[in-house]
């Protein structure tokens, strides 16, 4: 596992950026042999990051490469790195950059290959199925390949365990009901070894599959799968054979109204009253969490939660792996390894559930009985040097102990939403802001959450604030009034119809619509059209890279969806077209913790590249350069000053840049370089505390 240190310059690696639907980057061999004409490559040598764009790469790869390079520069190098761009179809225009590239990789001795098509790369990897048999029949535990695609159900023996490799995209561990204890325990360990041997990402998704309880995702990888007493239905399934010709057929919008698989994603094994144990990953090891802190989850940490419940007088186990959005790669990897160890301690019985921050299933929330708090960043480790931000804002979502959680959002007025209750914690007390659409149950749960959030502070006062009756102090704590999501529909106490999100795509060659459960902003796919149904209106969200077929078919499907809806919908229900990056509050209000700066604030690859300057010249981006042209002023001219009272030329959003180095150190207790290495949310918090926001 690689441990990355901020401002570390002894790094040499080559990253391959590829994909269209979901662009990913992976480390490859530092050689020209790794290059091709159709993708983007990043050469990272510490002080310099060179982005080489293949002549045939797509714009999503260019944008992903640029964002990745900027992220490495800003987060790992504290802004002290050069980002240089080479357009592969015009190498000669960047001789200095090519000199660096060839100095590391050597001269290119042969023509570069075209590379696999982006549209089919993911499908090809998924099609590369390999089934491995895990057995100790000869006295030694071995994994042996037994078959490749096509797979048939009869290959699985109830007496054994198997590993199914879905082309490096996902690993399944199938445990036969009659396999011996040693084989069941070793299966997950073999899967981890298998991942390392194949040089797959250490964060690879691994799913445990029990004999007789196979998931639909697992069963669909086999040519056919029969279950005893299962009825045949839904007709024939469209498949693609060796001839990759797919006819365009009209999508039947009526099937969007009945999707039981979405309900299945909300499965509840019980009411959450079983036994709970929680561990945090610390220094790559498991550290028990104080039971008094159960329900606290920090975005900079990873946690394992073991839940034990009884069925027919027998213990059953759920092992949840909660991974924070800002956790390091080492911690993400360690959480997967430690989950394997826990699985072995319980004879391979736990059902493992990996949870991404913000996507907590209902049962997971029920375990913490309405007292679950998710902090955007930071850590719960003892001895942490990070002070608690003086102002924090939490969006409280839920109306009973089984579905309530508080999620930290930016402490800004624009984060508010008329449909929910928000908890504002400051040094002066706790304010509960109740949106017009919040119910009495939601307000009661918010009060319960306020006791949890305020239990470790000296502040005990709690003030209820109704939407529209806010005191000035409330707005001042949030940095001033601003527009927020307050659509009339959001102000309904009880929504008569819950919002539903659908993905409209023709990535498989034909136009299909799929519903998204527990949707959030991350589910909006940039190269698709998304349909959000809020009943009184329907939004069509168009991703930047959606194609013309998707745009055209989505409008037709939307109209058909309304016409065929069993609820006798008004066919004249407004259909609102929204483009990515220009979402109004009437749309964003339906999403929890909407991030307005996602998608690089709507900037294209060309705009981001322009920010770097002339690509034929070295571009060194450091904090000193950023501030070189900023005139400095004494602190009293900047601190706690409104925009209209600032000296001419001062950027109100970056007042700290107009401080001298000595004044900056005296006020912030650190240098400008040290400040630049902090995450954005932390910089904002400190600036508010110092009166410079």
């Amino acid at each position: 596992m690689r441990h990355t240190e901020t401002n570390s310059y002894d790094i040499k690696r080559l990253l391959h950026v590829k994909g269209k639907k979901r662009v990913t980057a992976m480390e490859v061999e530092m050689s020209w042999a790794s290059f091709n004409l159709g993708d983007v490559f990043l050469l990272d040598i510490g002080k310099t990051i060179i982005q080489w764009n293949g002549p045939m790469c797509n714009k999503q790869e260019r944008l992903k490469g640029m964002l990745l390079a900027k992220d490495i520069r800003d987060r790992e190098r504290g802004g002290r790195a050069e980002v240089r761009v080479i357009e592969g179809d015009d190498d000669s225009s960047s001789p200095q950059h090519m000199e660096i590239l060839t100095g590391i990789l050597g001269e290119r001795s042969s023509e570069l290959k075209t590379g696999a098509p982006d549209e089919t790369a993911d499908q090809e990897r998924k099609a590369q199925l390999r089934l491995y048999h895990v057995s100790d029949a000869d006295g030694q535990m071995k994994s042996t390949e037994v078959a490749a695609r096509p797979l048939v159900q009869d290959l699985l023996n109830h007496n054994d365990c198997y590993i199914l490799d879905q082309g490096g995209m996902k690993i399944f561990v199938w445990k036969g009901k009659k396999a011996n204890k040693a084989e069941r325990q070793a299966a997950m360990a073999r899967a981890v070894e298998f991942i390392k041997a194949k040089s797959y990402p250490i964060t690879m998704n691994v799913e445990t599959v029990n004999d007789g309880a196979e998931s639909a995702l697992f069963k669909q990888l086999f040519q056919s799968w029969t279950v005893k007493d299962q009825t045949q239905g839904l007709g024939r399934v469209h498949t693609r054979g060796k001839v990759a010709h797919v006819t365009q057929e009209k999508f039947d919008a009526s099937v969007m109204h009945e999707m039981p698989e979405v309900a299945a994603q909300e499965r509840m094994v019980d009411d959450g009253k079983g036994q709970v144990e929680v561990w945090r990953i610390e220094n790559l090891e498991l550290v028990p969490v104080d039971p008094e802190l159960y329900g606290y989850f920090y975005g900079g940490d990873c946690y394992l939660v073991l839940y034990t419940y009884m069925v027919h007088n027998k213990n059953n186990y759920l092992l949840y792996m909660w991974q924070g959005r800002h956790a390091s790669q080492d911690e993400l990897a360690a959480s997967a390894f430690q989950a394997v160890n826990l699985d072995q301690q319980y004879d391979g019985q736990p059902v493992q559930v990996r949870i991404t921050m913000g996507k907590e299933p209902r049962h997971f929330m029920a375990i913490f009985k309405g007292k679950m708090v998710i902090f955007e960043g930071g850590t719960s480790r003892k001895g942490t040097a990070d002070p608690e931000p003086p102002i924090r804002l939490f969006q409280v979502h839920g109306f009973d102990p089984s579905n309530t959680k508080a999620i930290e959002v930016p402490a800004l007025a624009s984060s508010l939403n008329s449909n929910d209750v928000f908890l504002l914690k400051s040094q002066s007390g706790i304010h509960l802001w109740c949106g017009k659409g919040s119910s009495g149950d939601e307000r009661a749960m918010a009060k319960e959450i306020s006791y949890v959030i305020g239990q470790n502070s000296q502040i005990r006062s709690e003030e209820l604030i109704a939407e529209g009756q806010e005191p000035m102090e409330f707005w001042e704590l949030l940095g001033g009034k601003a527009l927020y999501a307050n659509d009339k529909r959001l102000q309904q106490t009880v929504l008569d119809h819950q919002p539903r999100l659908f993905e409209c795509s023709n990535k498989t060659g034909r136009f299909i619509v799929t519903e998204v459960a527990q949707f959030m902003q991350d589910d909006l796919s940039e190269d698709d059209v998304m349909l959000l149904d809020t009943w009184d209106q329907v939004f069509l969200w168009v991703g930047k890279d959606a194609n013309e077929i998707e745009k055209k078919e989505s409008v037709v499907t939307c109209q058909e969806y309304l016409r065929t809806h069993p609820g006798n919908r008004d066919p004249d229900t407004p259909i609102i077209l929204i483009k990515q990056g220009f979402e109004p509050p009437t749309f964003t209000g339906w999403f929890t913790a909407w991030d307005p700066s996602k998608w690089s604030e709507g900037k294209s690859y060309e705009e981001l590249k322009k920010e770097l300057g002339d690509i034929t010249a070295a571009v060194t981006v450091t904090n000193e350069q950023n501030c070189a042209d900023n005139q400095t002023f004494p602190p009293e001219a900047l601190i706690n000053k409104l925009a209209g009272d600032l000296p001419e030329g001062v950027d109100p959003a970056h007042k700290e840049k107009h401080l001298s180095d000595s004044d900056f150190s005296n006020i912030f207790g650190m240098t400008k370089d040290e400040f630049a290495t902090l995450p954005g949310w932390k910089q904002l918090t400190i600036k508010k505390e110092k009166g410079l926001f």
Side-chain angles (χ1 to χ4, degrees):
M1 292 181 287
R2 180 191 304 276
H3 176 66
T4 305
E5 291 184 6
T6 302
N7 289 335
S8 176
Y9 295 106
D10 58 349
I11 293 174
K12 283 188 179 181
R13 59 181 176 177
L14 181 65
L15 303 177
H16 181 189
V17 182
K18 183 174 184 63
K20 188 170 184 180
K21 170 66 177 173
R22 290 181 176 83
V23 185
T24 58
M26 62 180 294
E27 190 168 346
V28 294
E29 179 187 356
M30 284 188 54
S31 163
W32 280 112
S34 298
F35 282 67
N36 65 61
L37 299 174
D39 297 323
V40 169
F41 294 83
L42 294 180
L43 179 65
D44 179 10
I45 53 176
K47 291 184 178 180
T48 304
I49 303 167
I50 296 180
Q51 175 171 337
W52 186 89
N53 297 325
M56 300 166 64
C57 69
N58 65 53
K59 55 185 177 182
Q60 281 298 97
E61 291 167 336
R62 290 170 183 255
L63 179 60
K64 176 73 173 183
M66 181 67 70
L67 291 173
L68 183 58
K70 287 167 70 71
D71 194 52
I72 293 172
R73 178 197 70 187
D74 296 338
R75 290 179 179 271
E76 297 183 18
R77 313 289 150 76
R80 293 175 170 273
E82 298 174 348
V83 177
R84 309 183 181 190
V85 181
I86 299 175
E87 299 297 345
D89 54 356
D90 191 18
D91 292 356
S92 58
S93 65
S94 309
Q96 294 179 335
H97 306 352
M98 284 301 298
E99 184 179 345
I100 297 174
L101 202 62
T102 55
I104 299 294
L105 303 176
E107 293 293 335
R108 193 164 63 203
S109 58
S110 59
E111 292 295 319
L112 298 180
K113 297 179 180 179
T114 303
D118 297 315
E119 293 82 357
T120 59
D122 288 346
Q123 289 301 113
E124 288 179 356
R125 278 186 284 179
K126 289 181 180 179
Q128 296 168 2
L129 298 177
R130 292 281 188 275
L131 185 67
Y132 298 83
H133 178 212
V134 180
S135 175
D136 64 349
D138 60 357
Q140 185 176 1
M141 197 64 68
K142 291 182 179 179
S143 301
T144 309
E145 183 175 339
V146 293
R149 183 177 180 173
L151 301 178
V152 293
Q153 186 179 356
D154 290 342
L155 289 168
L156 302 175
N157 188 320
H158 298 297
N159 297 305
D160 295 316
C161 295
Y162 297 83
I163 294 173
L164 177 57
D165 177 8
Q166 190 182 359
M169 304 286 287
K170 186 170 184 174
I171 298 292
F172 295 88
V173 178
W174 187 88
K175 299 181 180 182
K177 60 180 67 174
K178 297 181 181 178
N180 64 46
K181 180 178 178 180
E183 289 173 342
R184 293 177 65 86
Q185 287 184 330
M188 279 298 290
R190 288 288 173 272
V192 173
E193 293 174 4
F194 180 86
I195 290 171
K196 294 176 67 176
K198 289 282 188 177
S199 298
Y200 290 157
I202 202 67
T203 53
M204 162 104 30
N205 191 345
V206 180
E207 180 177 322
T208 302
V209 182
N210 291 316
D211 187 358
E214 293 83 2
S215 65
L217 199 60
F218 178 80
K219 291 186 286 189
Q220 55 94 27
L221 299 176
F222 291 75
Q223 267 194 325
S224 64
W225 190 282
T226 57
V227 179
K228 185 179 180 181
D229 299 327
Q230 178 178 320
T231 57
Q232 300 297 315
L234 298 182
R236 294 183 60 82
V237 178
H238 170 77
T239 59
R240 296 179 69 175
K242 293 183 179 179
V243 181
H245 175 69
V246 180
T247 57
Q248 290 291 334
E249 299 176 4
K250 183 179 179 181
F251 176 76
D252 183 4
S254 63
V255 302
M256 297 167 67
H257 308 306
E258 296 182 15
M259 296 195 175
E261 63 272 17
V262 174
Q265 293 183 35
E266 300 290 333
R267 58 189 179 274
M268 295 277 288
V269 298
D270 66 358
D271 57 5
K273 293 181 180 177
Q275 182 182 343
V276 185
E277 293 180 85
V278 184
W279 296 267
R280 180 183 61 253
I281 301 297
E282 188 171 328
N283 297 325
L284 310 186
E285 299 294 335
L286 285 182
V287 176
V289 173
D290 185 339
E292 291 186 2
L293 298 179
Y294 281 9
Y296 276 31
F297 293 89
Y298 289 79
D301 286 334
C302 289
Y303 300 83
L304 294 187
V305 178
L306 181 67
Y307 181 76
T308 308
Y309 63 103
M310 298 286 290
V311 177
H312 303 307
N313 295 319
K314 178 186 176 184
N315 279 339
N316 285 258
Y317 305 96
L318 281 173
L319 179 56
Y320 290 105
M321 290 170 277
W322 190 93
Q323 299 178 333
R325 186 179 292 121
H326 306 294
S328 69
Q329 288 298 316
D330 284 357
E331 288 172 330
L332 293 172
S335 69
F337 279 108
Q338 294 296 349
V340 171
N341 292 337
L342 269 178
D343 183 81
Q344 292 176 344
Q345 290 178 31
Y346 288 85
D347 298 332
Q349 296 182 50
V351 174
Q352 298 184 25
V353 184
R354 188 169 302 192
I355 299 174
T356 303
M357 179 175 167
K359 281 279 193 176
E360 295 76 19
R362 183 168 181 174
H363 184 263
F364 187 74
M365 290 187 282
I367 291 173
F368 301 103
K369 302 173 180 60
K371 298 180 180 179
M372 181 177 178
V373 183
I374 300 175
F375 298 90
E376 173 60 26
T379 174
S380 59
R381 301 178 186 182
K382 292 183 178 179
T384 176
D386 296 339
E388 181 180 1
I391 301 173
R392 303 189 97 145
L393 183 65
F394 299 87
Q395 182 175 10
V396 183
H397 215 60
F399 53 83
D400 66 38
S402 72
N403 65 5
T404 297
K405 61 182 175 182
I407 309 167
E408 186 171 14
V409 295
L412 300 169
S414 58
S415 298
L416 299 176
N417 183 323
S418 291
N419 197 38
D420 288 320
V421 179
F422 286 77
L423 188 155
L424 177 62
K425 181 184 179 184
S426 68
Q427 294 173 339
S428 61
I430 292 178
H431 303 273
L432 281 181
W433 183 88
C434 304
K436 293 180 180 178
S438 62
S439 66
D441 289 336
E442 289 172 325
R443 294 166 192 169
M445 292 310 303
K447 285 186 178 181
E448 292 291 328
I449 286 278
S450 72
Y451 301 146
V452 176
I453 292 177
Q455 66 181 356
N456 294 323
S457 67
Q458 302 297 319
I459 302 166
R460 295 296 177 188
S461 60
E462 174 190 305
E463 181 183 358
L464 277 174
I465 299 175
E467 181 178 5
Q469 300 177 18
E470 301 85 356
M472 279 307 298
E473 181 195 2
F474 177 80
W475 296 120
E476 289 172 357
L477 289 171
L478 293 176
K481 283 188 177 182
L483 290 174
Y484 62 88
N486 59 357
D487 182 81
K488 288 184 178 179
R489 181 89 196 292
L490 291 169
Q491 296 176 15
Q492 288 182 227
T493 300
V494 178
L495 292 176
D496 41 14
H497 298 280
Q498 292 298 317
R500 302 173 73 188
L501 182 70
F502 300 88
E503 178 185 48
C504 308
S505 173
N506 70 338
K507 62 178 180 291
T508 61
R510 63 171 48 206
F511 184 79
I512 59 173
V513 177
T514 309
E515 184 164 7
V516 181
Q518 281 192 318
F519 63 83
M520 58 191 298
Q521 187 180 2
D522 288 342
D523 293 312
L524 299 176
S525 177
E526 296 190 42
D527 55 358
D528 285 329
V529 175
M530 310 295 291
L531 186 156
L532 177 65
D533 179 13
T534 64
W535 192 262
D536 60 340
Q537 54 190 0
V538 177
F539 296 94
L540 281 179
W541 180 90
V542 182
K544 287 192 296 185
D545 298 315
N547 60 49
E548 290 304 316
I549 293 177
E550 290 168 341
K551 294 176 185 177
K552 178 182 177 182
E553 292 293 336
S554 295
V555 175
V556 175
T557 296
C558 187
Q559 295 167 337
E560 190 74 3
Y561 169 73
L562 290 170
R563 189 184 68 80
T564 61
H565 198 285
N568 194 26
R569 298 284 289 276
D570 181 354
D572 294 325
T573 298
I575 298 175
I576 302 171
L577 195 66
I578 294 175
K579 293 183 180 179
Q580 178 185 336
F582 301 94
E583 297 84 1
T586 51
F587 177 82
T588 62
W590 299 104
F591 294 79
T592 302
W594 180 272
D595 179 7
S597 63
K598 190 176 171 67
W599 303 307
S600 65
E601 298 179 341
K603 294 177 183 175
S604 65
Y605 162 76
E606 288 74 18
E607 290 170 327
L608 288 170
K609 190 173 78 170
K610 189 176 180 180
E611 289 182 0
L612 294 175
D614 185 357
I615 63 171
T616 62
V619 181
T620 306
V621 183
T622 64
N623 293 292
E624 289 83 357
Q625 282 190 326
N626 284 338
C627 300
D629 299 327
N630 290 331
Q631 184 179 356
T632 60
F633 296 93
E636 55 270 19
L638 304 172
I639 294 176
N640 294 323
K641 296 292 184 182
L642 297 176
D645 299 328
L646 291 171
E648 185 178 353
V650 171
D651 181 356
H654 299 285
K655 292 191 249 182
E656 75 283 358
K657 291 184 178 181
H658 299 272
L659 290 169
S660 67
D661 289 346
S662 59
D663 286 338
F664 189 98
S665 297
N666 291 334
I667 293 171
F668 287 88
M670 65 184 80
T671 65
K672 291 182 178 179
D673 287 347
E674 292 169 339
F675 183 77
T677 64
L678 300 176
W681 66 268
K682 196 168 185 179
Q683 292 183 11
L684 184 63
T685 299
I686 296 175
K687 283 160 60 175
K688 282 186 177 182
E689 182 183 351
K690 303 299 181 183
L692 286 164
F693 176 73

